[in-house]
C-alpha cells in the first residue's frame, strides 16, 4: 500500500487526503468506475491498530464518502470490504452496488473481481475511471 500510495501521488491520483487518511480510485484495472478506497497513510495493519481519535475519524470519513458515492453514482448501497490480505496496511474498498450488475452483488463480487483481474477487458473503461476520479476529487473536497 505504501508503494501504491507513492505511485498514486506521482500520478496525481490521490483524490483527497488529510495527511492521516487518503482516498484513491481503485487502481486500474477496476471492475467498476467509482470503486473507491479509503486508506490509512501510515503503515497500520487495520482498524484495531488505530488510536481512538483516528478510529473515530475513519468512521466519519467512511460515512461521508459512502454518502457522496450514493449521490454521485445513483446507488442505494455502498459495500465496505477490508480483508487486509493483499497488504497488512489498512485499506478499505468502498464498492458501489449497481442495480445493473448482479454479477457483482454480495459474495458474487469476489468472483467478478477475480475475473476482472484475470481479464482486464471486463474492467471499467479508462475514460469512465478518469471521469469518476475528477468527479470525486471535487465532491470530496467539498464534503470531507
Ligand atoms: Zn504500508
Amino acid at each position: 500500500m505504501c508503494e501504491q500510495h507513492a505511485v498514486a501521488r506521482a500520478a496525481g491520483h490521490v483524490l483527497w487526503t488529510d495527511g492521516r487518511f487518503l482516498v484513491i480510485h481503485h487502481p486500474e484495472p477496476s471492475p467498476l468506475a467509482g470503486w473507491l478506497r479509503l486508506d490509512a497513510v501510515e503503515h497500520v495493519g487495520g482498524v484495531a491498530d488505530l488510536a481512538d481519535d483516528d478510529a473515530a475519524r475513519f468512521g466519519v470519513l467512511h460515512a461521508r464518502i459512502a454518502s457522496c458515492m450514493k449521490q454521485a453514482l445513483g446507488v442505494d448501497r455502498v459495500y465496505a470490504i477490508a480483508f487486509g490480505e493483499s497488504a497488512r496496511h489498512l485499506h478499505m474498498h468502498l464498492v458501489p452496488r449497481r442495480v445493473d450488475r448482479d454479477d457483482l452483488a454480495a459474495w458474487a463480487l469476489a468472483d467478478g473481481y477475480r475475473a476482472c483481474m484475470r481479464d482486464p477487458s471486463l474492467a471499467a473503461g479508462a475514460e469512465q475511471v478518469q471521469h469518476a476520479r475528477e468527479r470525486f476529487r471535487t465532491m470530496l473536497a467539498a464534503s470531507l
Side-chain angles (χ1 to χ4, degrees):
M1 286 307 121
C2 295
E3 277 173 42
Q4 274 191 21
H5 293 168
V7 169
R9 279 197 188 87
H13 285 172
V14 174
L15 305 182
W16 175 91
T17 186
D18 64 355
R20 293 192 291 172
F21 296 101
L22 61 77
V23 179
I24 60 173
H25 194 280
H26 187 291
E28 291 171 276
S30 178
L32 294 169
W35 178 316
L36 302 185
R37 276 216 338 244
L38 171 60
D39 297 6
V41 170
E42 283 192 35
H43 190 83
V44 295
V47 288
D49 304 308
L50 293 176
D52 284 355
D53 60 335
D54 278 340
R57 179 74 172 144
F58 186 81
V60 169
L61 291 171
H62 176 187
R64 289 189 186 168
I65 296 163
S67 175
C68 285
M69 290 173 67
K70 288 174 69 171
Q71 190 186 330
L73 302 169
V75 296
D76 71 352
R77 272 170 291 165
V78 175
Y79 296 159
I81 304 169
F83 294 119
E85 292 288 347
S86 67
R88 292 296 302 271
H89 180 144
L90 174 56
H91 61 289
M92 182 168 68
H93 295 269
L94 293 167
V95 184
R97 167 49 168 121
R98 286 180 30 176
V99 292
D100 61 335
R101 294 298 301 268
D102 282 345
D103 60 318
L104 298 175
W107 295 111
L109 180 67
D111 298 322
Y113 189 88
R114 283 188 290 263
C116 179
M117 294 305 119
R118 275 194 307 270
D119 178 5
S121 74
L122 299 171
E127 253 179 57
Q128 288 177 292
V129 170
Q130 189 54 32
H131 177 76
R133 282 195 179 103
E134 286 161 17
R135 177 110 195 248
F136 282 111
R137 191 188 308 279
T138 303
M139 204 172 189
L140 297 177
S143 306
L144 302 184

